[in-house]
Amino acid sequence: MIQRIQTIFLLLAVLAIIATMCLPMAMLYDEGVLVGRVSFLGISTRLVQSDVCTSCFVVLQILSYVALGIAAAIDIIGIFLFKKRPMQMTMCRISNGLIVISCLLMGYNLYSCGQVISPTVYAALPIVAIVLNIMARVAINKDEKLVRSADRLR
């Protein structure tokens, strides 16, 4: 059912993913001076005119952003698949995989820059989204077991 606890977990995971996409993940420093804020959209703010991250791969940033968007869409679709619990659990796994892939791409992109990087508090939001997806998957599994045991009693 749509009013189950896994719906809340999935909705919170979507909110965490959207916040991850919008908020800065790290600060870039060049010789001790704050140069820019890095989010999944790229370097969102250039505070000083500098040649920062010329070796960063824009394609990887776009791929990581798209992977997060697909993960959020999968979680939203998963909310409405409450009648197909095995499919809902599979969608939680796929969403977790996409979140991990996007974080790996973003991490590779950041550390290939060669600049001093200081992660922000918002860098933990993908982990929060993964934990919420796992909690939703556990709740969905409990519902599935409950339905199967009720079917055996009939």
Side-chain angles (χ1 to χ4, degrees):
M1 289 182 230
I2 228 168
Q3 68 268 19
R4 304 293 292 177
I5 190 72
Q6 60 262 24
T7 303
I8 295 171
F9 291 146
L10 288 173
L11 191 60
L12 288 174
V14 168
L15 292 176
I17 292 170
I18 291 172
T20 300
M21 294 169 73
C22 299
L23 297 172
M25 293 290 113
M27 303 292 183
L28 285 177
Y29 292 96
D30 191 22
E31 297 176 7
V33 177
L34 180 64
V35 176
R37 293 179 185 94
V38 179
S39 68
F40 276 90
L41 290 173
I43 299 174
S44 59
T45 306
R46 286 199 177 199
L47 303 173
V48 177
Q49 290 297 332
S50 174
D51 189 23
V52 178
C53 283
T54 55
S55 66
C56 285
F57 303 105
V58 176
V59 175
L60 291 180
Q61 283 182 321
I62 292 171
L63 285 175
S64 64
Y65 191 76
V66 168
L68 278 179
I70 292 172
I74 285 174
D75 279 347
I76 290 171
I77 292 169
I79 291 172
F80 297 105
L81 289 178
F82 54 89
K83 291 184 180 179
K84 300 178 182 178
R85 285 172 296 280
M87 180 68 157
Q88 204 175 21
M89 287 189 291
T90 303
M91 293 187 91
C92 284
R93 282 190 210 114
I94 292 170
S95 177
N96 278 346
L98 287 171
I99 294 169
V100 168
I101 288 170
S102 68
C103 289
L104 290 174
L105 288 172
M106 187 62 166
Y108 176 75
N109 219 2
L110 282 176
Y111 289 108
S112 68
C113 282
Q115 301 291 327
V116 177
I117 300 165
S118 175
T120 62
V121 175
Y122 307 119
L125 284 175
I127 297 169
V128 171
I130 288 172
V131 168
L132 287 168
N133 268 333
I134 290 171
M135 290 170 64
R137 191 175 162 279
V138 167
I140 294 165
N141 196 20
K142 281 183 184 178
D143 276 358
E144 182 65 20
K145 286 180 181 177
L146 181 67
V147 168
R148 285 186 185 170
S149 69
D151 284 344
R152 272 183 277 179
L153 293 175
R154 288 184 192 182

